[in-house]
Amino acid sequence: MLKPRARPGGAALMALALACAGCAETTKDVASAPAPAAGAETPVVPAAPAWWREAGDPVLAILIQQGLDTSPEVICRIASLRQYDYQTERDAKRIGTKLGRLFGDKSVNTDPQIRTEKVDRVSARRERLARQIALAYVEVRRLQKDVALRGNLRAQYKDNAEVAQFRREAGLVPAIDGSLARSQDETAQGELGFAQGRLDQAIAELARLVGDQPDALAAKLGTPGTLPDPAVDPLASAAPENPQRAVLADAVLREARLTQALEESRRSVRDARTAYREGAGAFSTLYVTEAAALAVELALADARAARVTATLDLWSGQDGSWAREGLAPVVAPDPSATGPTITVTAGCD
């Protein structure tokens, strides 16, 4: 008699199903989104204009773009994202083929949250870097103004010293006038050196952020340089409850007050210089009025920098969709085989 034989392949089929299920579970953390259908076109949604392109300063726009393009951290995270997309597509095809043979279903269950988190990390780093570059740029421009103001007064102080020396030799004023004039000039020279040192440090920090050499960056910035002056009023678009709105309003008010005070202090300096040259005033009066005028000018430069910083802070927090530009899933060859050599580490992602 012929004994009935066991049906071959039953156990093997079940083992293969369980193996594929385990493979799909292991690759759940790798897959992020199903591969787009062949021939399907992903709709392109234009990103909002980047706030730093609307700031009205072409040098600032160039430097931020340069920093975003050369940042090793941004490059590494984008490379990690592209590698992830490639791995997702490859795993989806491989697992989909196996499951399709078993169950006739080529779709793969994926976790889109994983890719969303990766995109969020890239965009957050872009936003943070753009803001860091903008604030460092404003600080450089502020210090350039500081150095320019102090440097321009050196000629004025030397002229004061010459006039005081001439009047002392003529017996018209006491010797203390010449001492005060020399002290004023030497103090200004020392403060100018300190200001130049702070400017050099600020340029080095900005160069680090944008991936440039300090000397090359200094040439691009030029001298004396001006602070960016955004033409759009950010208060018009800021929500009343936004804390940055109050900071900006205070900076605008302080700048307006100092602008008015500067006109008065400059007028006092002109009157004091005329009076001293004509013998109707003391050098101490000229000394004090010039020191007060310089203090007001420096305070005004600080207030303008604070106003611009508050403006950029307010803008940078309004719409970050520009930072997601170019991060849509791309079906392409393995980036590690065609792109530049980039070491992707866990720390970069």
Side-chain angles (χ1 to χ4, degrees):
M1 295 179 58
L2 296 177
K3 296 182 180 180
R5 301 177 59 184
R7 187 175 180 182
L13 184 61
M14 182 59 67
L16 180 58
L18 292 175
C20 289
C23 180
E25 181 65 25
T26 1
T27 55
K28 181 178 181 182
D29 291 337
V30 177
S32 65
E41 294 185 359
T42 305
V44 178
V45 179
W51 56 267
W52 41 270
R53 293 184 187 132
E54 306 296 317
D57 190 319
V59 178
L60 174 62
I62 291 172
L63 291 180
I64 291 182
Q65 189 63 58
Q66 177 180 331
L68 294 174
D69 291 343
T70 61
S71 167
E73 186 179 356
V74 173
I75 293 174
C76 183
R77 289 186 176 185
I78 293 177
S80 174
L81 178 64
R82 294 304 175 214
Q83 180 68 32
Y84 179 79
D85 287 341
Y86 169 76
Q87 186 70 30
T88 297
E89 180 196 3
R90 188 180 64 178
D91 290 348
K93 288 180 179 178
R94 178 169 56 84
I95 298 171
T97 301
K98 289 183 178 180
L99 293 179
R101 290 173 182 171
L102 293 173
F103 307 111
D105 182 9
K106 294 186 178 181
S107 64
V108 182
N109 292 326
T110 59
D111 186 1
Q113 183 63 26
I114 297 175
R115 189 178 197 282
T116 299
E117 290 174 357
K118 287 180 172 290
V119 171
D120 287 345
R121 284 193 286 269
V122 176
S123 61
R125 179 54 188 151
R126 279 177 167 176
E127 291 183 45
R128 186 167 64 252
L129 179 59
R131 181 180 178 276
Q132 288 175 327
I133 294 173
L135 299 188
Y137 176 78
V138 171
E139 177 64 5
V140 167
R141 290 306 194 194
R142 183 188 72 81
L143 291 172
Q144 281 186 321
K145 182 67 173 177
D146 188 314
V147 169
L149 285 173
R150 297 182 187 277
N152 293 339
L153 287 175
R154 290 295 310 284
Q156 180 175 316
Y157 293 160
K158 286 184 180 298
D159 182 66
N160 290 347
E162 292 175 0
V163 173
Q165 180 69 17
F166 173 77
R167 290 174 62 78
R168 187 188 69 81
E169 292 175 354
L172 301 175
V173 295
I176 193 174
D177 282 20
S179 299
L180 280 174
R182 288 191 299 272
S183 173
Q184 183 185 47
D185 183 43
E186 290 171 1
T187 301
Q189 183 176 357
E191 291 176 344
L192 177 60
F194 285 124
Q196 184 63 55
R198 291 193 297 269
L199 174 60
D200 292 342
Q201 292 176 356
I203 290 177
E205 173 61 16
L206 179 58
R208 182 188 68 81
L209 290 172
V210 303
D212 210 339
Q213 295 298 319
D215 292 342
L217 177 60
K220 295 175 184 177
L221 293 171
T223 53
T226 56
L227 283 165
D229 191 13
V232 181
D233 180 12
L235 290 175
S237 58
E241 65 276 6
N242 192 325
Q244 289 295 333
R245 181 186 177 92
V247 174
L248 178 57
D250 289 342
V252 170
L253 182 59
R254 186 167 69 253
E255 182 180 0
R257 289 174 176 171
L258 287 169
T259 301
Q260 182 178 359
L262 181 59
E263 292 301 319
E264 297 174 358
S265 63
R266 284 176 175 173
R267 184 165 55 250
S268 298
V269 169
R270 288 194 298 268
D271 293 344
R273 285 178 64 81
T274 302
Y276 184 71
R277 284 177 172 274
E278 294 177 354
F283 187 84
S284 57
T285 303
L286 176 60
Y287 186 102
V288 170
T289 54
E290 286 182 332
L294 175 60
V296 172
E297 288 211 65
L298 294 175
L300 178 58
D302 291 347
R304 284 177 177 166
R307 190 250 304 168
V308 172
T309 297
T311 300
L312 299 182
D313 267 341
L314 190 59
W315 279 0
S316 62
Q318 285 184 343
D319 190 348
S321 58
W322 65 269
R324 297 175 176 269
E325 193 173 9
L327 299 182
V330 175
V331 179
D334 184 355
S336 62
T338 58
T341 303
I342 298 174
T343 302
V344 180
T345 63
C348 122
D349 199 25

